[in-house]
Amino acid sequence: MVQQLTPETKPEIIYPDSDGNPMADNTEHYEWIVKIKENLEILFASANDVFIAGDLLWYPVEGSAKIRQAPDVMVIFGRPKGRRGSYKQWQENNIPPQVVFEILSPGNRSQEMAKKMLFYQRYGVEEYYIYNPETIELTGFIREQEWLEEIEEINCWVSPRLNIRFELTSDTLEIYYPDERKFLTSLELNQRAEQEHQRAEQEYQRAEQEHQNYQDLLAKLQAKGIDINNL
């Protein structure tokens, strides 16, 4: 009697879409994450191969569900926009996030931030920015060969990848688009959109009034037997 051996099946590895941690520790932390993420979305709206995410788990190694990190904001060039439950790098042409942002909050500990730094350095991040809204301190790192080296002059620094400029003032961090427009909050963006809508509506009404005035003038001339084609 021949006994047939059943091949051993490996258990399926689950890559959770959440690490159970909140996206932000306080309102200011959340506002900064949204501000950076949404303005970057606007900046790269026409680029179909730039994927931007906030608080999305990034798994760099297939088969290792515990090797992961959820940057506050990350930008990946060379990957299409679209919804993802997590960023599994081996399913994304093995392209790591090139730019990462972290917003510090009172809950962040130095040991935790050191681990993040080592993670981003090991798995290919090119630019890493850390902002502390409480102390108004910005720290930046840029990859030099295998290492993330601190940017010595961060004030007025222009990101090589994003082409945005950082400027520290006495009370906040300002970030500028390549055309020197400021990054705005969601409320400010909404207010600007409303103002532009009102301005467009006023222009439309003005054009409509001018057209009506022109039509009224034509009617008056025709009533007097005047043909404007013969003028």
Side-chain angles (χ1 to χ4, degrees):
M1 180 177 180
V2 178
Q3 185 176 4
Q4 191 171 22
L5 297 177
T6 304
E8 183 180 351
T9 58
K10 294 182 179 179
E12 181 184 1
I13 297 174
I14 305 298
Y15 302 91
D17 289 346
S18 173
D19 58 7
N21 295 321
M23 178 178 179
D25 291 343
N26 54 52
T27 55
E28 187 174 29
H29 187 196
Y30 176 80
E31 286 168 1
W32 270 104
I33 293 172
V34 173
K35 181 178 181 178
I36 293 173
K37 193 258 185 189
E38 291 306 307
N39 280 271
L40 288 175
E41 292 277 17
I42 293 169
L43 176 59
F44 293 103
S46 62
N48 293 326
D49 62 344
V50 180
F51 174 62
I52 301 165
D55 194 44
L56 187 73
L57 279 173
W58 162 28
Y59 292 96
V61 180
E62 185 175 11
S64 299
K66 292 183 179 180
I67 300 176
R68 64 191 187 184
Q69 198 59 252
D72 284 338
V73 180
M74 62 181 179
V75 184
I76 303 100
F77 291 83
R79 298 308 302 149
K81 301 182 189 302
R83 295 182 178 180
R84 292 165 173 81
S86 61
Y87 188 81
K88 302 179 182 69
Q89 190 172 313
W90 59 93
Q91 295 178 355
E92 307 280 356
N93 286 352
N94 207 34
I95 298 176
Q98 292 95 351
V99 186
V100 163
F101 291 84
E102 292 286 357
I103 308 300
L104 292 185
S105 65
N108 290 120
R109 298 176 180 176
S110 57
Q111 184 178 6
E112 173 193 359
M113 297 309 296
K115 287 182 178 179
K116 287 185 178 183
M117 176 71 179
L118 291 173
F119 183 97
Y120 296 146
Q121 182 168 272
R122 178 174 183 179
Y123 293 109
V125 170
E126 296 176 13
E127 299 178 40
Y128 177 29
Y129 300 101
I130 308 167
Y131 179 55
N132 187 336
E134 186 175 350
T135 59
I136 315 174
E137 291 180 310
L138 176 67
T139 308
F141 299 88
I142 190 162
R143 183 167 291 274
E144 298 289 347
Q145 296 181 346
E146 298 300 317
W147 303 95
L148 285 171
E149 300 287 350
E150 185 171 356
I151 300 165
E152 293 184 4
E153 295 294 334
I154 193 65
N155 199 19
C156 294
W157 169 263
V158 177
S159 160
R161 272 286 189 175
L162 307 177
N163 202 25
I164 60 175
R165 181 169 64 85
F166 303 95
E167 184 176 317
L168 290 163
T169 68
S170 59
D171 56 359
T172 192
L173 166 68
E174 299 287 6
I175 307 175
Y176 292 86
Y177 285 83
D179 63 4
E180 287 300 305
R181 287 178 299 129
K182 283 184 182 181
F183 274 30
L184 302 177
T185 64
S186 296
L187 178 60
E188 290 169 333
L189 286 169
N190 185 63
Q191 289 173 339
R192 173 176 285 184
E194 182 62 28
Q195 289 170 353
E196 290 177 353
H197 173 74
Q198 291 176 357
R199 188 159 44 246
E201 184 65 24
Q202 289 169 356
E203 288 295 327
Y204 173 77
Q205 291 176 357
R206 188 180 297 112
E208 281 288 295
Q209 187 61 51
E210 290 177 355
H211 177 72
Q212 187 59 50
N213 292 342
Y214 178 73
Q215 293 298 323
D216 292 344
L217 177 60
L218 283 181
K220 288 178 182 179
L221 292 173
Q222 288 173 352
K224 293 181 179 182
I226 301 174
D227 185 357
I228 63 170
N229 295 319
N230 295 325
L231 293 179

